[in-house]
Amino acid sequence: MNGLKERVQETFDHFHQNPELSWEEVETTKTVAALLEEAGCRVRTFDDCTGVIGEIGNFGEGRPVIAVRADMDALYQEVKGELRANHSCGHDAHMTMVLGTLWRIQQQPELLEKIGVRFIFQPAEEVGSGALKLVEKGVVDDVDYYYGIHLRPHQETPDGKASPAIVHGATGSIAFDIRGDDAHGARPHLTHNAVEIGTYLINAFHTIHLDPNIAHTAKVTRFLAGGRNVNIIPGSAQLALDIRAQTNELMEQLRERILEIIQSARDLYKVEINITEDFGIAAAEVHPEAEEVARQAIIRVLGEENLTDPIITPGGDDFHFYTIKRPQVKATMVGLGCGLAPGLHHPDMTFNHDALMNGISVLSEILKLHAEGVAKP
């Protein structure tokens, strides 16, 4: 146990000190692939993208296929005055816990005879496109149950506790350009003021009223217009919105209303408005059977007193694209309390590294439960 804990800490330190951005996880892929091979996994990498898959156990007919996912990429942010890649969302910890789970179960041949285990190290979660790419690669086509794990901030889940499901909301972004000609400040009739059009749009977005019983927000997070000379009326501007809803259905309603408002501005001002980005991540579709297995694993490992309710959060994760695109996959994501502070994505985020062993124990117990036959494919 002590040897495993030391190896886990060394592995975490390596990933933490060598972060790589989305779709650039080249060295991380090589490192993980080597560790998977060393542990006896069948390893698969890809010619056109980063990411790596490791398989161990019995993939024979009638055996359940259980997948465990770790995201690999870091964020790009300012850390102590320097813009650089930084693991402030816990992906270094997620990779470490999934590898630790492999190291734990590779010594249990009786378990591996009963199930096939696929470890999926996924790139580009932070840009919301890695899961979709791996779905295209067919990595979950034969998967029965799929588990993820994510560190949770201390305000949400206390250290030492864990949740059997993270109910992420749907998230999205819509960006657009207002395109027109500048004019002299003395001749406002020769153009449409892009600042005024942008202000009209912001006020109109605030009139969107959807079901108040389901959490949702739409907020402008970018508004760029004008230049150094204040006597020029700007004809062009750039705006962007961050949009969130707790369900996929409400997100689609929210998105449709935003696009309708943008069209109304085109019609009212007779101006060109081009959508430059329209992107979203699906809300969680947690399967009750997978959640129940995770719940039992947490109770066995941490005790019932350290089991928390499913976490409902407006944050998003592209993990949920797997079940949206392949509905036969029964999935959940475990939320791990670890004393994380000040919060996810904070450049100086820290957490209790001892919690890594809790995550490894919970994931290992999930696989053990499947080997015991508590859930059928």
Side-chain angles (χ1 to χ4, degrees):
M1 183 70 171
N2 287 337
L4 176 60
K5 186 174 182 179
E6 291 172 1
R7 189 178 189 187
V8 164
Q9 185 60 55
E10 290 172 1
T11 303
F12 170 81
D13 290 342
H14 173 81
F15 288 138
H16 187 74
Q17 293 162 13
N18 296 276
E20 294 180 298
L21 301 177
S22 305
W23 296 124
E24 298 177 15
E25 310 95 332
V26 175
E27 295 304 318
T28 304
T29 296
K30 291 179 182 177
T31 297
V32 173
L35 292 170
L36 292 172
E37 288 177 356
E38 181 185 303
C41 288
R42 299 176 292 277
V43 176
R44 177 187 176 191
T45 55
F46 309 100
D47 293 334
D48 60 344
C49 70
T50 47
V52 57
I53 310 301
E55 291 183 346
I56 196 168
N58 189 344
F59 283 76
E61 185 175 350
R63 303 295 187 185
V65 176
I66 316 301
V68 184
R69 177 263 212 166
D71 30 19
M72 304 170 69
D73 54 330
L75 291 156
Y76 187 68
Q77 60 186 163
E78 184 175 323
V79 183
K80 294 179 172 57
E82 175 191 3
L83 284 169
R84 62 177 179 85
N86 185 44
H87 272 305
S88 59
C89 198
H91 296 186
D92 44 1
H94 304 163
M95 289 187 285
T96 301
M97 287 187 286
V98 172
L99 284 167
T101 302
L102 167 62
W103 297 329
R104 175 78 62 81
I105 69 165
Q106 74 175 125
Q107 307 300 328
Q108 304 176 45
E110 70 285 354
L111 182 155
L112 295 174
E113 176 58 31
K114 297 176 181 178
I115 59 174
V117 185
R118 180 172 298 142
F119 297 101
I120 298 174
F121 290 83
Q122 179 212 299
E125 187 279 327
E126 294 295 354
V127 295
S129 53
L132 291 170
K133 183 69 172 179
L134 293 196
V135 168
E136 292 176 10
K137 299 291 185 182
V139 303
V140 295
D141 286 356
D142 61 343
V143 167
D144 297 299
Y145 290 84
Y146 196 13
Y147 297 92
I149 191 165
H150 206 299
L151 305 183
R152 305 316 300 165
H154 71 94
Q155 303 96 329
E156 184 179 274
T157 309
D159 192 9
K161 297 182 181 293
S163 168
I166 304 175
V167 187
H168 287 106
T171 68
S173 58
I174 297 177
F176 55 92
D177 292 345
I178 301 169
R179 305 302 302 171
D181 297 321
D182 292 349
H184 195 288
R187 299 172 181 83
H189 61 292
L190 298 180
T191 192
H192 290 294
N193 189 332
V195 173
E196 294 175 352
I197 298 171
T199 302
Y200 163 83
L201 286 163
I202 292 171
N203 289 330
F205 295 145
H206 289 163
T207 69
I208 296 174
H209 298 294
L210 303 176
D211 187 345
N213 296 305
I214 303 174
H216 61 279
T217 66
K219 48 199 174 292
V220 174
T221 54
R222 180 192 306 149
F223 190 161
L224 305 175
R228 296 179 64 178
N229 297 101
V230 297
N231 63 341
I232 295 176
I233 298 172
S236 299
Q238 298 176 11
L239 287 89
L241 298 95
D242 174 270
I243 57 177
R244 297 173 186 265
Q246 199 57 52
T247 67
N248 292 314
E249 294 76 14
L250 198 72
M251 171 58 82
E252 186 55 32
Q253 295 177 38
L254 183 58
R255 178 181 167 277
E256 288 178 1
R257 286 290 296 119
I258 289 168
L259 295 178
E260 289 171 359
I261 288 169
I262 291 172
Q263 183 58 52
S264 74
R266 291 191 187 104
D267 296 339
L268 178 63
Y269 290 97
K270 308 300 182 187
V271 68
E272 180 181 349
I273 303 178
N274 299 319
I275 305 292
T276 57
E277 179 182 315
D278 186 356
F279 174 78
I281 296 175
E285 300 284 352
V286 177
H287 197 282
E289 291 180 28
E291 180 183 336
E292 176 59 21
V293 174
R295 188 186 73 83
Q296 291 184 38
I298 292 167
I299 291 173
R300 281 193 184 187
V301 171
L302 302 179
E304 191 159 9
E305 69 277 12
N306 289 314
L307 171 74
T308 70
D309 291 334
I311 299 163
I312 298 175
T313 171
D317 196 297
D318 76 348
F319 177 79
H320 308 298
F321 276 135
Y322 291 104
T323 50
I324 297 294
K325 297 297 183 180
R326 299 292 184 268
Q328 79 279 4
V329 177
K330 301 171 183 177
T332 191
M333 178 177 283
V334 173
L336 185 68
C338 56
L340 188 153
L344 292 168
H345 290 206
H346 190 284
D348 300 318
M349 183 272 278
T350 61
F351 69 98
N352 176 13
H353 292 182
D354 289 340
L356 293 170
M357 299 307 296
N358 286 346
I360 291 168
S361 295
V362 170
L363 291 176
S364 300
E365 196 66 27
I366 285 171
L367 297 177
K368 183 179 178 181
L369 285 163
H370 280 288
E372 292 174 357
V374 299
K376 303 297 183 183

